[in-house]
Amino acid sequence: MFFHPMDFLIFIAFGLAMWAQSKVQNNFHKYARIQASAQITGLQVARRILDQNGLYDVTIERSNRGDLSDHYDPRAKTVRLSGPVYSGSSISSLAIAAHEVGHAIQHGRGYAMLKFRTALFPAAQLGSRMAPLLFLVGFLFFGVGSVLGNQVIGIGIGLFAAAVLFQLVTLPVEYDASRRAKNQLLELGFVTNNEQAGISRVLNAAALTYVASTLMAVLQLLKFIMIFGRRR
Ligand SMILES: [Zn+2]
């Protein structure tokens, strides 16, 4: 009960996630030291790409939450960039600024995967908070095998599955934002063909962390299904 065969795979996925995380940091810092030839800041790049796409109503703010806290907030229609991205003009700054604007473009164009992801968010958030509690309550108070226990655990698995689905849908959304970022940077002449390789490395490393954490979540879901599904 305490060590499940699936834990071995989860441990490997965890290692992969840690490795991907360090790769993101390394690539970010490596290309943060290389200035792009365009000599333009992340803020300027973000504004130009937004305007180019007719997104004049999307605002850009400097976020104070530290490195790699960059994100797009669809409710406030605001791109928030961390200090080094906002005022920096390195390859990393340009890559991340353009990626976050990629999400704003998805939102502006009504990109279906982003809509689906936004719709899943409440269930996913509830799932990641409530599922462990429901497993515990179902298991301790009613016992696996009792009808009520199985029902509570079943709801827990359902909610956890919503959280996993949310992570799965995040993958194409992130990939698409990076694809848009690379296209816009090249089309608007902000990066040369040579600099494009650095942009890709920064963005691909970030995508890898999403893949690794999603893999972990999928394996965890399979483990729950294997444990509780068998005991019915
Ligand atoms: Zn993103």
Side-chain angles (χ1 to χ4, degrees), residues 120 124 162-172 210 213-214 216-218:
L120 274 173
V164 173
L165 183 62
F166 179 80
Q167 281 194 280
L168 278 172
V169 174
T170 298
L171 298 180
Y210 285 107
S213 65
T214 304
M216 246 172 80
V218 169

Side-chain angles (χ1 to χ4, degrees), residues 1-231:
M1 182 65 213
F2 293 104
F3 185 81
H4 192 269
M6 199 59 114
D7 286 333
F8 180 65
L9 291 177
I10 292 172
F11 183 73
I12 291 174
F14 178 74
L16 184 69
M18 291 290 106
W19 175 75
Q21 196 64 47
S22 76
K23 202 170 151 69
V24 169
Q25 298 277 352
N26 287 345
N27 273 327
F28 178 79
H29 291 300
K30 180 182 172 194
Y31 287 99
R33 287 194 296 269
I34 302 175
Q35 298 301 304
S37 55
Q39 294 189 310
I40 182 169
T41 64
L43 167 67
Q44 289 169 315
V45 163
R47 190 68 267 163
R48 283 280 304 279
I49 300 176
L50 286 169
D51 291 349
Q52 185 71 21
N53 287 275
L55 298 167
Y56 305 106
D57 57 338
V58 173
T59 52
I60 306 162
E61 280 176 8
R62 189 192 181 107
S63 129
N64 298 317
R65 283 195 283 161
D67 275 7
L68 303 174
S69 63
D70 310 79
H71 65 279
Y72 170 66
D73 178 350
R75 271 176 295 183
K77 280 196 162 192
T78 300
V79 173
R80 297 207 180 89
L81 302 175
S82 59
V85 173
Y86 186 91
S87 45
S89 43
S90 67
I91 299 283
S92 288
S93 305
L94 268 50
I96 292 171
H99 172 91
E100 298 312 331
V101 171
H103 287 305
I105 298 172
Q106 290 174 336
H107 187 216
R109 303 261 160 91
Y111 173 61
M113 282 303 213
L114 184 70
K115 278 189 179 168
F116 185 37
R117 185 177 181 268
T118 308
L120 274 173
F121 184 71
Q125 205 181 29
L126 187 70
S128 55
R129 282 180 193 162
M130 293 294 291
L133 189 68
L134 288 172
F135 291 146
L136 197 68
V137 168
F139 191 70
L140 286 182
F141 291 90
F142 308 114
V144 178
S146 82
V147 174
L148 196 56
N150 279 347
Q151 279 171 347
V152 171
I153 290 166
I155 293 168
I157 290 178
L159 282 173
F160 190 75
V164 173
L165 183 62
F166 179 80
Q167 281 194 280
L168 278 172
V169 174
T170 298
L171 298 180
V173 172
E174 290 304 322
Y175 177 82
D176 179 81
S178 289
R179 186 187 58 80
R180 289 176 200 265
K182 287 181 224 170
N183 288 346
Q184 296 285 325
L185 286 171
L186 210 56
E187 264 173 40
L188 293 171
F190 293 138
V191 294
T192 62
N193 279 320
N194 285 341
E195 291 170 334
Q196 185 79 348
I199 297 282
S200 292
R201 261 182 222 130
V202 171
L203 295 178
N204 291 348
L208 192 63
T209 61
Y210 285 107
V211 172
S213 65
T214 304
L215 182 64
M216 246 172 80
V218 169
L219 292 171
Q220 254 155 1
L221 177 63
L222 285 176
K223 179 186 161 183
F224 290 140
I225 293 171
M226 282 165 82
I227 290 175
F228 296 115
R230 204 173 21 164
R231 287 167 178 252

